[in-house]
């Protein structure tokens, strides 16, 4: 859908709202008819439109004969603050004479804010200022979504502390994927912002816009650091939970092994008395009670011998014994030193 807007300008919250000296062509959720209209009416090349439609396209700026084209990475509006899986989409910005054209294959909360004038103190008086305002608003949305993702990660970790299930682990994988998307998009946007400072065909109007661009670069670096920190913490958390799962599996297998070994002795006894030969107590009417009692007692003794508690007590005794021997050795050394020569 293509919407032609006369972007509104207000430097301060109390100032009267005025129309900007340029036209904003807002193209979002575009289809083939919209692409044809952009090619015919605004003479935008099909190669540039194909790059904007590419989900993996990186941020850049290029100069054509009739226009200046930029591609930036914006957080997508779908699932904004509604789910864990967040992602970024490319946004094409074309500057043609007195017209700014934004082209996005989906929707974004950044463009929605500008379309509804939900912004303050952004330098949107010029087309270049409008471009860096979009980048500045995108950084703020990135930071907000990163904090939201971090809160979701903490909630999933609390659930994992209670019970480790596949659903929580899948959620952590989705969070990690979102952090990778955000970190990559912010890194490419940073390269674009730094290039805007020195490119000759993207000239800012005054000191206010240059200061705002510096602030956007600083905020973008902060967002990159946040994404990297959250990603590193999440990687360590997933490694820790993977170790816990592996350890729990080892404990379960150990217990099953102890049970299997403990039941080998009763199985041997019952198998021995199942042979068709003369055996002790075979004529006694209550011999089966003694055999069952012996089998149960042997299973209990075998399980206790191989149990974790007994092994832990043995380890604790050995550690205490090593400490006592070390103390005794130190006492003897002190006595030798205190004796006169």
């Amino acid at each position: 859908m293509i919407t032609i807007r006369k972007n509104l300008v207000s430097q301060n919250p109390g100032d009267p709202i005025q129309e900007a000296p340029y036209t904003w062509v807002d193209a979002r959720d575009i289809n083939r008819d919209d692409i044809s209209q952009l090619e015919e009416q605004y003479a935008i090349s099909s190669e540039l439109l194909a790059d904007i439609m590419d989900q993996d396209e990186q941020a850049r700026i290029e100069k054509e004969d009739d226009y200046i084209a930029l591609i930036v990475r914006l957080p997508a509006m779908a699932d904004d603050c509604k789910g864990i899986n967040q992602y970024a989409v490319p946004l094409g910005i074309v500057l043609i004479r007195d017209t700014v054209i934004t082209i996005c294959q989906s929707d974004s909360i950044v463009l929605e804010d500008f379309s509804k004038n939900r912004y303050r103190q952004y330098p949107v008086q010029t087309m270049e200022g409008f471009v860096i305002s979009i980048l500045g608003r995108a950084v703020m949305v990135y930071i907000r979504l990163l904090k939201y993702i971090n809160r979701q990660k903490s909630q999933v970790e609390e659930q994992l502390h209670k019970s480790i299930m596949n659903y929580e682990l899948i959620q952590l994988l989705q969070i990690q994927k979102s952090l990778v998307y955000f970190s990559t998009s912010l890194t490419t946007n940073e390269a674009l912002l730094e290039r805007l400072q020195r490119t000759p065909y993207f000239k800012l109007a005054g000191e206010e816009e240059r200061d705002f661009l510096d602030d956007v670069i600083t905020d973008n670096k902060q967002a990159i650091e946040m994404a990297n920190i959250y990603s590193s913490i999440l990687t360590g958390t997933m490694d820790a939970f993977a170790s816990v799962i592996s350890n729990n599996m080892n404990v379960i297998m150990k217990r099953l092994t102890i049970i299997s070994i403990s039941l080998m002795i009763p199985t041997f006894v019952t198998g021995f008395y199942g042979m068709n030969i003369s055996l002790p107590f075979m004529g006694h009417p209550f011999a089966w009670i003694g055999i069952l009692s012996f089998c149960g007692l042997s299973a209990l003794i075998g399980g206790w011998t191989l149990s974790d508690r007994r092994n832990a007590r043995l380890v604790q005794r050995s550690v205490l014994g090593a400490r006592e021997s070390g103390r005794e050795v130190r006492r003897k050394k002190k006595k030798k030193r205190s004796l006169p020569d």
Side-chain angles (χ1 to χ4, degrees):
M1 182 178 64
I2 299 177
T3 305
I4 299 177
R5 309 177 188 275
K6 203 66 175 177
N7 199 36
L8 301 179
V9 178
S10 178
Q11 286 186 336
N12 299 309
D15 293 346
I17 298 177
Q18 302 175 354
E19 289 188 354
Y22 57 88
T23 302
W24 175 25
V25 179
D26 184 11
R28 281 180 281 172
D29 292 329
I30 60 177
N31 50 32
R32 293 184 178 180
D33 295 334
D34 297 331
I35 293 176
S36 301
Q37 182 180 349
L38 291 172
E39 291 178 354
E40 296 173 1
Q41 186 172 354
Y42 299 100
I44 301 175
S45 64
S46 58
E47 291 81 5
L48 177 60
L49 292 174
D51 292 340
I52 296 173
M53 294 298 103
D54 186 3
Q55 182 69 29
D56 300 322
E57 191 67 25
Q58 302 302 311
R60 69 175 190 271
I61 180 173
E62 58 186 28
K63 178 70 170 63
E64 299 293 340
D65 296 335
D66 300 329
Y67 55 83
I68 300 173
L70 299 91
I71 296 179
V72 301
R73 303 283 300 182
L74 295 185
M77 188 175 180
D79 296 332
D80 255 1
C81 297
K82 296 180 182 179
I84 293 178
N85 193 13
Q86 306 289 338
Y87 61 98
V89 294
L91 170 70
I93 303 176
V94 181
L95 306 180
I96 303 177
R97 294 182 296 276
D98 58 347
T99 303
V100 178
I101 305 173
T102 58
I103 307 168
C104 188
Q105 60 179 332
S106 62
D107 207 342
S108 175
I109 191 172
V110 177
L111 299 176
E112 188 69 16
D113 289 342
F114 279 95
S115 65
K116 296 182 179 180
N117 301 306
R118 293 196 299 245
Y119 57 89
R120 290 184 178 181
Q121 297 181 348
Y122 281 179
V124 295
Q125 293 80 17
T126 62
M127 294 192 297
E128 290 79 6
F130 181 68
V131 171
I132 61 176
S133 297
I134 290 177
L135 290 168
R137 187 65 179 175
V139 172
M140 294 295 103
V141 175
Y142 273 124
I143 292 176
R144 179 164 60 87
L145 291 179
L146 285 171
K147 293 179 180 179
Y148 169 76
I149 289 175
N150 189 50
R151 290 195 300 270
Q152 293 295 317
K153 177 183 71 67
S154 301
Q155 293 178 5
V156 175
E157 287 179 1
E158 292 178 0
Q159 296 173 4
L160 282 172
H161 284 302
K162 299 177 183 178
S163 62
I164 298 177
M165 304 295 292
N166 291 336
Y167 177 71
E168 284 78 11
L169 294 176
I170 291 173
Q171 283 184 314
L172 288 180
L173 289 174
Q174 290 178 349
I175 291 174
Q176 190 176 35
K177 183 171 65 174
S178 299
L179 290 174
V180 171
Y181 285 150
F182 281 6
S183 178
T184 304
S185 300
L186 288 167
T187 302
T188 58
N189 284 350
E190 182 185 23
L192 174 63
L193 288 168
E194 292 178 350
R195 187 175 178 184
L196 291 180
Q197 287 183 315
R198 57 180 184 271
T199 184
Y201 44 83
F202 189 86
K203 297 180 180 180
L204 300 177
E207 191 67 25
E208 179 186 358
E209 292 184 356
R210 286 190 288 269
D211 292 340
F212 184 79
L213 180 57
D214 293 336
D215 294 339
V216 173
I217 292 175
T218 302
D219 293 338
N220 194 82
K221 291 180 179 179
Q222 177 188 351
I224 292 174
E225 291 297 326
M226 290 175 60
N228 292 334
I229 291 172
Y230 293 161
S231 182
S232 300
I233 294 174
L234 182 59
T235 301
T237 302
M238 294 187 65
D239 292 340
F241 279 115
S243 300
V244 170
I245 293 173
S246 178
N247 183 63
N248 291 342
M249 182 61 67
N250 292 334
V251 171
I252 293 173
M253 294 304 298
K254 182 179 180 180
R255 290 176 180 174
L256 292 176
T257 303
I258 291 174
I259 294 173
S260 300
I261 296 176
S262 301
L263 295 177
M264 286 180 64
I265 300 176
T267 303
F268 173 76
V269 174
T270 54
F272 182 75
Y273 270 89
M275 294 185 296
N276 295 324
I277 58 175
S278 299
L279 296 171
F281 311 109
M282 61 178 301
H284 198 280
F286 299 103
W288 63 274
I289 297 177
I291 294 173
L292 288 178
S293 301
F294 177 77
C295 290
L297 182 62
S298 62
L300 291 176
I301 294 174
W304 177 80
T305 304
L306 300 173
S307 64
D308 295 335
R309 294 183 178 179
R310 179 177 179 276
N311 295 332
R313 290 177 181 176
L314 293 177
V315 172
Q316 186 177 6
R317 289 177 183 176
S318 62
V319 171
L320 292 176
R323 290 180 180 176
E324 291 295 334
S325 61
R327 292 175 183 174
E328 188 66 26
V329 170
R330 287 193 294 270
R331 289 174 185 173
K332 291 181 180 180
K333 289 182 179 179
K334 289 181 180 179
K335 288 181 180 181
K336 289 182 180 180
R337 292 174 183 175
S338 60
L339 293 176
D341 295 335

